[in-house]
Amino acid sequence: MNAPITALNTPLSTAQAEQLDALVRGLTPLQMQWLSGYLAGRAEGATPAPPVSAASSVTRSAVTVLYGSQSGNGAKLARRLGELAQARGLAVTLTSMADYKPARLRDERTLAVIVSTHGEGEPPDCARELHEFVHGRKAPGLENLRYSVLALGDSSYQFYCQTGKDFDLVLEKLGATRLRPRVDCDLDYDDAAAAWIDGLLGELEHVAAPGPGAVAAAAVGTGAQHDKRHPYQAEVLENIVLNGRGADKETRHIEFAVPGLAYEPGDALGVLACNDPALVQELLSTLELPTDAPVQAGDALRPLQEALTHHYEITTLTRPFLAAYAALAGSDKIAGLLAEGNADALRAYLAGRQIIDVVQEFPLPGLAAEQFVALLRRLPPRLFSLASSLVACPDEAHITVAAVRYQSLGRQRLGVASTWLADRVQPGDTVPVFIEHNENFRLPARPDIPVIMVGPGTGVAPFRAFLQEREAIGASGRNWLFFGDRHFYTDFLYQTDWQGWYKSGLLTRLDVAFSRDQEQKVYVQQRLREQAGEVYAWLQDGAHVYVCGDATAMAADVHAALRDIVADEGKLDAEAAEDYLRELSRNRRYQRDIY
């Protein structure tokens, strides 16, 4: 019988050794064999697909699955494709774009690309280098390559699935042959992605006849798996306001009981929220539809009111909805907005409106319930960065939620999940949740590595988890936090936590920027610039840099500040400084979780 794993006979901390020992004691020999290969692949920067039985040692074709995603959806779909491909006897290599050497492209023969779009048509951080390479002068001819692209995106953005479109077109331009047409996936991507995977595998199977002995990939792990279609019903333990009295905004700290769920700092909690009942009723009244009209929602027929409350997105206005509604309404105004060359006018129209505004402005008498829900997207889960460490808070998951409330076109607008959690969820209630793993936002493997964390507003949430984890495992690495918000007295989120960790020495440095406490606004990027010499010294000493929060302005401003710091302190020009940051990103020393 194997001896228990302890901190004395491994390089692990006591907490890590105890976790690992508890895990492996419940695994079968096959599962431990898979885990060994998985960890070896992670150490080399690639994620291997689950193994196939030795009986299927004869493979019929080989495919490289190349994925790039910010939040982890692309990685999850890539693993699914790998599992199904191996079940059909195909040799599979799974690689993140962050770990892929662009020069390998010339040697590829079959490539499956799964990539998301970030911000306004930008590639995710892990895909930037490859994206630049294939669009640059050094890109090779790819006449021997067959490929297909699965693009992930959000149709509420102007440049929907743009990165996937970019890869699809440039690979064709470089001479590659498209195996299957590109598929563009909205937030509710499961069915479209499954169809793309099935179609791609069907094409690959035509390459050669099935080899003998092909068997399904071995299942790994035991117990129930929870995802957005099979969520965990988590009890709410705490739901408290973090802001001080007189604050001009509302930020909540919410704790859930999640025994049996596993996560790491950097992961997110997916929450399946409900739409505002008042908005549901207003839609029903405007459309003159009965609350009990049966419509398809999920896998069953449900009353319309229930479907609009729990299953369909009824707030965000997207171009696809507008186009479909215009076809029914016959509106020249909407048709003009959708016409080519009117992108700016369309963007301005979409920005201030929601679905209720369109159905009120362009009424459709006699519209059937089934017709209306056919225009809608499924209600997507909302993701919140986890603000807790499972090591420090066993069986719990904490999140930080800013309640979204604003006025637009004379109407009060409410964030779907944030105000549901703030106004209608109380301790003792249960909330359907799941863990969304994010391998692109992880603490250093070595506990002695210093970290710099930049997280204004609710972007500070994962750094509470980081420090809880580092404290619990006894990590010796230095920790530096840059935090910003509006006012010191009302918006210093988790103030006692940071001050306690600073007093204990866990938090080596704490720099704050409260933008509205003085006439001249001050932000975290300015605090970075003020500490330029010390920031650069930490980078040169091997520090990892993490940025979490708003992608629209903050992330770009922080990136520019880091680039300027590297240029000034390292005596580099702007291009060389950008290369420095790219190298940090390649080595997973510069990671961003921005939204």
Side-chain angles (χ1 to χ4, degrees), residues 556 558-568 573-575 577-578 581:
V558 167
H559 183 87
L562 290 171
R563 184 189 60 233
D564 292 346
I565 288 169
V566 169
D568 294 342
D573 61 28
E575 185 175 350
E578 195 67 51
L581 294 181

Side-chain angles (χ1 to χ4, degrees), residues 454-503:
V454 184
T458 57
V460 82
F463 303 134
R464 182 175 183 265
F466 277 21
L467 290 176
Q468 281 188 354
E469 179 87 1
R470 296 202 108 187
E471 180 180 49
I473 67 175
S476 60
R478 294 172 293 159
N479 305 288
W480 188 350
L481 175 66
F482 289 85
F483 171 73
D485 215 312
R486 294 181 181 178
H487 302 285
F488 172 82
Y489 287 109
T490 59
D491 305 320
F492 199 168
L493 308 182
Y494 300 116
Q495 179 180 2
T496 57
D497 287 341
W498 313 129
Q499 292 177 332
W501 283 322
Y502 185 77
K503 185 176 181 179

Side-chain angles (χ1 to χ4, degrees), residues 97-246:
M97 290 184 180
D99 305 314
Y100 190 77
K101 303 300 183 186
R104 285 174 50 190
L105 265 179
R106 68 179 69 252
D107 299 320
E108 300 287 3
R109 293 298 174 264
T110 305
L111 189 66
V113 177
I114 302 175
V115 66
S116 63
T117 294
H118 182 63
E120 293 298 326
E122 296 295 318
D125 289 346
C126 62
R128 284 186 181 277
E129 182 180 8
L130 183 62
H131 187 268
E132 291 175 3
F133 176 81
V134 295
H135 286 87
R137 289 176 297 176
K138 294 183 179 181
L142 299 175
E143 291 79 8
N144 296 320
L145 177 69
R146 304 170 304 156
Y147 75 97
S148 186
V149 175
L150 181 70
L152 305 178
D154 180 345
S155 61
S156 65
Y157 285 85
Q158 179 183 0
F159 300 102
Y160 173 52
C161 288
Q162 187 62 50
T163 304
K165 295 173 183 177
D166 290 347
F167 274 109
D168 186 41
L169 293 175
V170 76
L171 290 176
E172 181 183 44
K173 182 179 178 181
L174 293 172
T177 301
R178 193 178 286 107
L179 265 173
R180 294 281 295 181
R182 184 189 74 249
V183 170
D184 297 337
C185 295
D186 208 341
L187 296 178
D188 178 33
Y189 56 79
D190 297 85
D191 292 341
W196 176 80
I197 289 173
D198 186 62
L200 176 61
L201 293 177
E203 291 289 342
L204 293 176
E205 282 195 315
H206 287 313
V207 172
V215 297
V220 178
T222 58
Q225 299 297 311
H226 296 284
D227 55 28
K228 64 184 178 182
R229 295 202 171 186
H230 307 91
Y232 181 91
Q233 298 297 325
E235 181 184 355
V236 178
L237 302 175
E238 295 281 356
N239 189 343
I240 60 176
V241 177
L242 290 175
N243 305 92
R245 184 175 299 174

